[in-house]
Amino acid sequence: MITAPTETPERKAFYERIDKDNLTPLWSVLGDLVTPEPKSGCRPFGWKFDTVREAMMEAGGLITAKEAERRVLIYENPGLRGQSRITTSLYAGVQLVLPGEVAPAHRHTQSALRFVLEGSGAHTAVNGEKTVMEYGDFVITPPMSWHDHGNETDEPMFWLDGLDIPLVSFLDASFAESLGEDEQPVTRHTGQSYAEFGHALMPVNAEQSGLSSPIFNYPYVRSRETLEAMKRGGDPDPCHGWKLRYANPLDGGSAMPTISTFIQMLPAGSTTPYRATDATIFVGVEGGGTSTIGDVTIDWGPRDVFVVPSWHAVVHEVAEE
């Protein structure tokens, strides 16, 4: 255990003198910099979608999607308030696009994901291709890809936004650009990317131009079918149940290079405790249960969001059917 040396009047006077030259003695802060084990400000916490939805609808009456650029309420971890972070390395929030609205086209160096929480039939356009979004769909926006969102339906559309903003900011690599138009030109057929890469097939001349997946919408209906097939085919993992990773078909890696993403089905009963080196954001899709993270227990259901900080053991429990 590293502890700071005892402070004396002479040392204090020295510290105050060198502070004017923007200098700090390492020995006074070493214990906070080099810790005996990982130390994160991120805390276990959960958000109920009903509460967030009510606030979002109120926001919908106060500001338009175009004026806001993106009408989003940020999930701020209670241990990281004021930093626009849900974990130490991730930003997350809920976005609302009302009927007839367009969230205007822009691009940025941050990678982004969408997980559809409510609604059916609105679209996201990425690099000239539209995809129609349904509940539970997982949608990605690779870095510096033009993207806009539109809602031609008669119902509001909600989704979870997740971005690697803290990581990109840490690297001083944040760049953004507005297209200057509400919607980008559409140059590809709707769903073309999934048609070309989403069936264990790909064009013979396919090239990997970046580290993100060429598929930018992973439909929930297909993911659910695969989970059901896994359930019929074998017993669940004691920690994770039946779990799939959203993958890049070009190299088998993660769909996004800086954010690992998964979908899982939990069996009835309790999982075995486990912990991970990365903080994890969970979103309920169907059913519900409780998750115990240390001495914190969080009840969750469809569309609810909760956080398990890094290195924290977690146990998930789902009621018997």
Side-chain angles (χ1 to χ4, degrees):
M1 175 88 53
I2 300 173
T3 59
T6 303
E7 188 171 280
T8 66
E10 294 80 9
R11 290 173 179 174
K12 184 177 179 181
F14 171 68
Y15 302 157
E16 291 175 351
R17 187 168 67 252
I18 66 172
D19 181 68
K20 298 173 184 177
D21 295 317
N22 297 304
L23 296 171
T24 298
L26 172 61
W27 59 86
S28 68
V29 296
L30 184 58
D32 292 326
L33 297 178
V34 182
T35 57
E37 60 184 31
K39 185 178 180 181
S40 171
C42 183
R43 299 181 193 170
F45 193 77
W47 292 264
K48 290 294 185 182
F49 179 70
D50 288 346
T51 301
V52 177
R53 188 187 192 282
E54 183 178 354
M56 286 298 308
M57 291 303 294
E58 183 176 352
L62 296 173
I63 190 168
T64 66
K66 185 173 183 178
E67 184 182 1
E69 185 83 15
R70 295 294 186 264
R71 188 199 290 113
V72 175
L73 291 183
I74 301 169
Y75 289 121
E76 282 204 337
N77 190 282
L80 304 168
R81 291 304 308 272
Q83 301 179 46
S84 297
R85 302 183 186 195
I86 190 168
T87 73
T88 51
S89 61
L90 291 176
Y91 155 102
V94 174
Q95 183 166 172
L96 165 65
V97 179
L98 292 169
E101 285 191 324
V102 173
H106 68 197
R107 64 179 181 173
H108 41 68
T109 48
Q110 293 82 358
S111 299
L113 65 84
R114 333 283 171 196
F115 190 84
V116 181
L117 299 174
E118 181 181 311
S120 173
H123 76 268
T124 282
V126 177
N127 283 344
E129 180 184 335
K130 286 185 177 181
T131 185
V132 177
M133 297 191 290
E134 306 291 339
Y135 177 66
D137 286 359
F138 169 67
V139 180
I140 71 171
T141 305
M144 293 308 289
S145 298
W146 292 111
H147 57 284
D148 54 82
H149 315 292
N151 185 357
E152 301 90 350
T153 75
D154 57 3
E155 297 291 336
M157 196 84 178
F158 297 85
W159 59 80
L160 171 77
D161 278 333
L163 290 89
D164 55 2
I165 292 175
L167 176 61
V168 173
S169 297
F170 176 77
L171 298 172
D172 287 337
S174 179
F175 295 89
E177 183 180 6
S178 174
L179 183 63
E181 302 288 342
D182 287 352
E183 297 182 284
Q184 64 186 283
V186 175
T187 58
R188 291 167 57 86
H189 298 300
T190 299
Q192 185 172 342
S193 295
Y194 192 82
E196 292 178 349
F197 294 95
H199 304 280
L201 297 166
M202 67 180 67
V204 294
N205 59 349
E207 295 182 1
Q208 188 163 358
S209 59
L211 298 177
S212 296
S213 171
I215 301 172
F216 67 96
N217 188 345
Y218 294 73
Y220 173 62
V221 63
R222 305 289 171 79
S223 303
R224 179 59 192 266
E225 288 173 358
T226 306
L227 287 169
E228 291 288 358
M230 290 179 66
K231 183 178 179 180
R232 293 191 298 269
D235 294 332
D237 180 271
C239 294
H240 306 291
W242 299 275
K243 189 172 184 178
L244 298 166
R245 176 168 55 87
Y246 292 106
N248 182 338
L250 292 176
D251 59 15
S254 295
M256 310 175 75
T258 56
I259 309 174
S260 293
T261 48
F262 307 84
I263 187 168
Q264 67 190 106
M265 179 187 294
L266 296 172
S270 297
T271 63
T272 300
Y274 73 95
R275 63 177 184 164
T277 57
D278 52 332
T280 308
I281 304 168
F282 288 88
V283 185
V285 182
E286 297 182 29
T290 62
S291 294
T292 302
I293 309 146
D295 58 358
V296 177
T297 298
I298 296 172
D299 297 320
W300 52 267
R303 304 176 178 86
D304 294 343
V305 172
F306 66 95
V307 176
V308 177
S310 59
W311 298 101
H312 283 57
V314 58
V315 174
H316 305 297
E317 184 169 358
V318 176
E320 297 288 341
E321 297 178 356

